[in-house]
Every structure is written in structure tokens, then in C-alpha cells.
Amino acid sequence: MSRTSPDRENVAVSSREAFAAWVGEAPEGRKFGQVVVRKLPSGGYEIRHASDAGSENLEVHTNPRDARDISKLTEAGEYRPLKSSPNLRRGWVLRLADDRELASAMNYLYPAAISHWYLLREGRLKTTSFRENAARQSGIYERVRYLSDEAVQNAARACCEDEVCLKKTLWDVDENTPLEMERGRGDIPCPEPCSVFISFARRVRYFEREEENTSDGNALTPGERRDLAALVEAAASGEVKMAREAEFEKPLNQRRMRYRRLTLLPKLRPEE
Amino acid sequence: MKALVIVGHGSHLNEDSSLPVYEHAERIRQSGGFDEVVECFWKEEPSMRHVLDTVESEEVCVVPAFISEGYFTQQVIPRELGLDGPVTFKDGKIVRYAGPLGTFEKMADVILERVEDLMRGKELREGRTALVLLGHGTDLNKRSSDVIYLNARRIRERGVYDIVEEAFLDQDPEVGEVVGKVEAENVILIPVFVAEGWHTRETIPEDLGLTGEVTVREDRTIFYGAPVGTHPSMASLIAARARETEHYEVVQNVS
């Protein structure tokens, strides 16, 4: 038995080469996520925030692994658990010697994105539906398998659209039930629910159970009341301080509020 | 080409949780031995599901940056990486999967190095010295504490300390009891944890009334160390764990 299969395609190598070639074809650079990647006339590559396209006085980095520090915190110093969130900080430029360094830096800015970009382009990206993913969850995440289709749809709209994640959502509820949402305009494919989504789905399952235990479908659930109260108190104090990005147990979490917008607003404004 | 993939837990909330994994990976990169060293996580990106798509090497060794054998090392990591045993042939790669760090023989050495770092330049009281190894423990999984007992036994056998005790946060013997009652004037408390976090920074010092690295009580002085998992020597332990898996293939082919 051969230990490895040299005849099989090495996806990491092919995607590195294909990405570098794609970048090389466009002298003005390619936009990918929130960055612009450009081949330098002098050789090598440059990555910078797309909003810094014409900026000078950027902090210059030449180590591809510096991309990890660049992508770790937002401009405001908040931790970024999801690298495809549209909150990459500005003010830096990565100058990289070759396509290996380019791939390495890209894998810190957008982990595994160039492999998925390449596989999608080749028509070979395998996707995993929510139901398949949920079926293999265990421990505290096991309960996500009990989410209704409707709750999965709303969770995906709340958690995955471009306002909060720049990936293009390619997975579905199951093979016969497509997601009905804005899947995203960007180049980074999302082939499977990520750990942030599963964690959010776990919270949505709590919401759904509350819904099931509330006899009148138009009555507010205890959780909805708590969230409204927290919102009123925060607004009244003059400062609505949002919870951290993946702090789904806190009322003032953006994705949680996006979910409430989909499920609570129709109760509050039944005439619309 | 040969790659080392280090698997960490990671966190959606705490930016420092994955830091030891990145630091150990960088140390191993500097020391050579692998063509690629790649990090992946349960709660951060790249996920275990997708990390192998980013690895160019045909030979891959996966080392979990987890101390205990249990839920993660036996269930979650193999499942997410698509491994079916110590050796898996997958997408043209041979993937070898190492066990957790805590059961590895050299773990006792890292613990003792951690103690040495903590005690450098500090004065002991007259009397006996006890080393207390602190694990999280859980009544739900007995194996979670095995690694603490194993390392305590290994260190006890070396005869360096008058007393070596085990202690836990979520099971008996409870850490407060052990630290307060062990018959020694000097108590060295070492968390056998993989990273700094809520427990090591907050709950443990609060519950035990620790004032820092050194806490003087009337009858004893308590020396509180940083978690073993953040010690620089963990990098060589990870690399050694990886190299050890190279014989796995032989076992696999015989069966």
C-alpha cells in the first residue's frame, strides 16, 4: 500500500498557485474579503485593507504570520472570533516575498478561504448541510439538531448575511431545503455551518423552546421580554453598549438582535 | 514534506485562549524538524474540518494541545478531522494522530520545569515542601483526572518533594482542602491546565485567597505557578509527541 498518493491533487498547493495566478492577472489587484491583494512589479505580493487602497503611512509587515495579529482585534480592540466578519482593522500593509508567504498570510486573514475559493472555482467544493453538521454534534451542542427548519432559516439570516459575515453561504438546511436568504456577494465560500453558527444555533434553540412553551403565538416569550427590557434600559442610559460578537447569551448581541428583528418584530407590529 | 498540525480548543470570547498554541507552533517552526507547522481549533479558525485543505505536506502529524484524554481527544478531534484511528489515509495524505500531552512521559519534566521557574529566587520556609498538581476534574468523566494522578505518581517516584498531592476544582479532593490541610510548610500549587483563563486567573486565586505568586499564611506559604501548558518546554513536548507517532504506521499495517 502506498503511504501517500502523489498522483492525487494536492489542494493546498493547487489553491496557492491558482490564487497567486488570479492575483497576478489583475495589475490593479484583486479584492478578496475586505483586503486587496496585488502582485508587485518588483516581485512578491502586497495585501492591504481595501479601504486603504490609496493610503500611505501604513504599518509595514513582511512576516506573513503578522497577519494573525492584524486579524485578531477590531479597530476598537474587540476580539474577532470570526475572521470573515466585516470588521477587519485598517492601517497596515503586508509585503510578501512569494506565493507561499501570500498563502500563509491569507490563511491567517481568512483561514482556509483560498482553498475553498479554488475548489468552488473548480466545481469541486463539497458542502455540508446544517442537518448533516447538526447530526454529528455532541455534548452541549447536541440540541441544535432539534431546531426547526424555520429556526435554521432565521438563524442563518441573523448570523450569516453580509452585514455580519462576508462569506457566501453555500450550505442548506438539508439537501431538499435550500436556505432562503441573501447568501452573500463576496468571493469566500462557506461550505458548512461554522462553530460560531452552531453556538448561535444553540441559543436559538432556547428561543424556540420558549416559543413552544408560550401558549399564545403572539405573546412575548420571557426571553423576548428580557431582551426588550435590556434594550430599554441601555437606551435610557444614553449608551447602548453592544455585547461581544459571539456573546449570544447577552441580550444586546448583534446577531441575537438580528434574530429578534426577524421573529419579535412581527409580533410587535402585526399590522405590517 | 512533513507537517505538524496542532489542535487547540480556542474560544469565541477570549482572545488569549489560543495564544499558547500559536506560541508553541512558532517555537517549533524556529527549531525546524517540520516543513509546515499549522494551528487549528475547535472554536476558532481554521477549524479542524478544513485545516487539512491548507496543508501542503503529504505526511501530517496531528497533536492535540490538550492535557487529558477524554471527550475532545477521543471523540471531537477524530470526528472533526475525519480520522479513523492512529493512522488515516485521507485525500492523498497520511495523517497520524498523537495522544494528549498529559499522558506523555516527558510531561512530568515540564511540570518540574514550571516549578523551577516559579521557585527561582524564592525562599522556602523551614520545614516540608509539598507539590500539589491541580486539575479541573469532573465527575462526568473519570479519565479527565487520570492524567493528574499519573503525573503525580511519576513525580513522587523521583523523590524530589516531601509530599506530592493531587487536587481538583470540580471533584474530590478539592483544591482548597488539599492546600489547607497538606502537612507541609511550603505548598507549591501548579495548575495542570493548557492555557491561562478564567479559572487560573480568577476562580483559583479568589477561592484560595491567593495574593499572587507567593501567599504567606500563618502556618504555610503557598507558591502559585502559571499553567503548565503555557511553559515554553511544551513546544518540545508537542514536537516529541509528533515524532513518536512515526511508528504508528507499522502497527497499523500489521493489523
Side-chain angles (χ1 to χ4, degrees):
Chain A
M1 182 175 183
S2 97
R3 300 191 329 161
T4 54
S5 317
D7 51 324
R8 276 192 79 142
E9 189 200 8
N10 187 318
V11 170
V13 174
S14 305
S15 55
R16 159 167 61 81
E17 293 169 349
F19 186 74
W22 181 68
V23 168
E25 286 161 11
E28 72 287 2
R30 298 277 194 186
K31 179 141 191 276
F32 195 82
Q34 284 185 283
V35 300
V36 171
V37 188
R38 197 161 65 94
K39 188 166 188 181
L40 298 172
S42 53
Y45 297 86
E46 184 199 89
I47 310 176
R48 59 171 73 197
H49 196 291
S51 304
D52 284 333
S55 307
E56 288 167 28
N57 297 328
L58 301 172
E59 56 184 54
V60 179
H61 298 263
T62 54
N63 183 343
R65 273 180 283 284
D66 287 355
R68 184 182 100 73
D69 276 331
I70 290 168
S71 66
K72 189 163 133 180
L73 303 177
T74 65
E75 209 82 66
E78 294 274 340
Y79 173 52
R80 300 176 70 234
L82 189 64
K83 300 295 178 247
S84 44
S85 286
N87 55 10
L88 182 67
R89 72 175 172 89
R90 295 174 51 183
W92 50 271
V93 57
L94 278 157
R95 299 227 168 94
L96 305 160
D98 54 28
D99 64 345
R100 283 179 195 279
E101 290 195 0
L102 173 64
S104 174
M106 288 306 293
N107 275 329
Y108 283 109
L109 292 171
Y110 295 110
I114 61 173
S115 301
H116 292 154
W117 166 87
Y118 167 75
L119 287 169
L120 179 66
R121 216 168 73 136
E122 297 290 303
R124 288 187 280 130
L125 181 64
K126 287 189 201 132
T127 60
T128 303
S129 73
F130 172 79
R131 294 286 170 217
E132 282 175 81
N133 178 300
R136 69 164 203 269
Q137 298 297 330
S138 55
I140 61 169
Y141 298 111
E142 199 176 314
R143 68 183 58 144
V144 302
R145 70 185 57 167
Y146 304 115
L147 271 185
S148 70
D149 285 1
E150 189 191 354
V152 178
Q153 298 279 9
N154 282 329
R157 290 175 191 128
C159 193
C160 309
E161 288 186 347
D162 276 354
E163 289 79 15
V164 282
C165 177
L166 296 173
K167 284 190 180 178
K168 185 191 278 289
T169 313
L170 299 181
W171 47 272
D172 290 308
V173 181
D174 60 42
E175 56 183 17
N176 301 314
T177 317
L179 279 181
E180 291 159 8
M181 61 178 283
E182 294 294 333
R183 288 177 183 265
R185 293 179 299 275
D187 283 303
I188 308 174
C190 175
E192 170 166 9
C194 67
S195 77
V196 169
F197 181 82
I198 293 300
S199 172
F200 185 65
R202 177 170 173 260
R203 185 59 45 185
V204 169
R205 179 58 199 149
Y206 281 116
F207 299 159
E208 206 178 26
R209 284 201 57 177
E210 282 195 329
E211 239 5 293
E212 288 160 11
N213 295 333
T214 305
S215 48
D216 173 3
N218 282 322
L220 301 192
T221 66
E224 288 170 333
R225 287 174 186 282
R226 271 196 301 276
D227 283 11
L228 282 174
L231 200 54
V232 168
E233 278 190 349
S237 78
E239 189 194 8
V240 181
K241 190 172 181 319
M242 298 299 283
R244 289 179 287 172
E245 183 167 359
E247 220 169 9
F248 303 129
E249 73 281 12
K250 296 270 174 75
L252 302 187
N253 173 277
Q254 190 186 2
R255 285 177 171 80
R256 179 170 170 138
M257 279 291 147
R258 287 171 59 86
Y259 183 83
R260 295 297 193 206
R261 182 167 67 187
L262 293 163
T263 55
L264 172 59
L265 284 195
K267 290 186 191 179
L268 298 175
R269 298 180 186 144
E271 69 285 357
E272 285 176 22
Chain B
M1 278 173 70
K2 215 181 263 188
L4 168 63
V5 173
I6 308 176
V7 185
H9 188 284
S11 166
H12 290 158
L13 301 174
N14 172 7
E15 68 201 55
D16 293 331
S17 161
S18 53
L19 189 63
V21 168
Y22 285 109
E23 288 179 342
H24 297 323
E26 190 54 28
R27 286 185 190 106
I28 297 169
R29 258 179 224 120
Q30 299 300 331
S31 65
F34 295 91
D35 300 293
E36 291 175 277
V37 181
V38 180
E39 310 88 353
C40 73
F41 302 92
W42 167 232
K43 291 272 191 119
E44 293 178 33
E45 301 165 281
S47 68
M48 290 180 255
R49 288 286 283 174
H50 300 132
V51 69
L52 292 178
D53 286 339
T54 72
V55 172
E56 298 197 1
S57 305
E58 303 82 24
E59 289 189 50
V60 182
C61 178
V62 176
V63 178
F66 285 75
I67 302 258
S68 308
E69 193 142 46
Y71 176 59
F72 280 101
T73 60
Q74 291 174 330
Q75 193 177 333
V76 176
I77 297 173
R79 179 188 79 203
E80 295 295 305
L81 276 162
L83 307 180
D84 39 49
V87 180
T88 304
F89 294 93
K90 193 175 189 294
D91 300 332
K93 295 183 191 328
I94 176 168
V95 185
R96 299 186 176 91
Y97 180 47
L101 300 173
T103 56
F104 199 45
E105 271 181 28
K106 294 188 171 71
M107 184 68 179
D109 296 310
V110 182
I111 295 173
L112 292 176
E113 281 185 59
R114 180 50 97 202
V115 176
E116 212 171 287
D117 286 357
L118 170 65
M119 299 308 290
R120 192 166 296 128
K122 295 195 176 65
E123 269 187 44
L124 288 172
R125 276 193 192 189
E126 194 142 325
R128 283 154 302 182
T129 298
L131 172 65
V132 178
L133 299 189
L134 172 61
H136 190 287
T138 162
D139 287 334
L140 300 175
N141 183 352
K142 193 193 143 299
R143 300 196 75 156
S144 142
S145 58
D146 285 354
V147 74
I148 303 295
Y149 285 99
L150 175 72
N151 283 286
R153 198 186 69 228
R154 284 176 176 163
I155 294 174
R156 213 173 275 131
E157 282 165 3
R158 298 186 188 196
V160 190
Y161 298 97
D162 300 308
I163 302 166
V164 181
E165 293 279 4
E166 305 87 357
F168 300 96
L169 300 181
D170 272 2
Q171 71 181 60
D172 289 332
E174 190 269 324
V175 60
E177 288 268 302
V178 176
V179 168
K181 290 190 175 164
V182 63
E183 292 182 5
E185 287 71 23
N186 302 288
V187 181
I188 303 170
L189 178 63
I190 300 290
V192 187
F193 284 44
V194 87
E196 287 281 14
W198 184 56
H199 285 307
T200 59
R201 287 208 185 102
E202 291 178 42
T203 67
I204 298 166
E206 262 171 43
D207 293 351
L208 300 182
L210 303 180
T211 51
E213 279 192 346
V214 182
T215 306
V216 180
R217 289 190 191 169
E218 202 175 316
D219 62 336
R220 62 195 59 212
T221 301
I222 301 163
F223 301 89
Y224 179 52
V228 174
T230 61
H231 196 279
S233 297
M234 285 302 274
S236 40
L237 189 83
I238 291 170
R241 200 54 156 155
R243 280 191 293 274
E244 187 208 40
T245 63
E246 282 169 16
H247 77 272
Y248 283 4
E249 188 187 3
V250 179
V251 177
Q252 179 81 355
N253 285 349
V254 169
S255 58

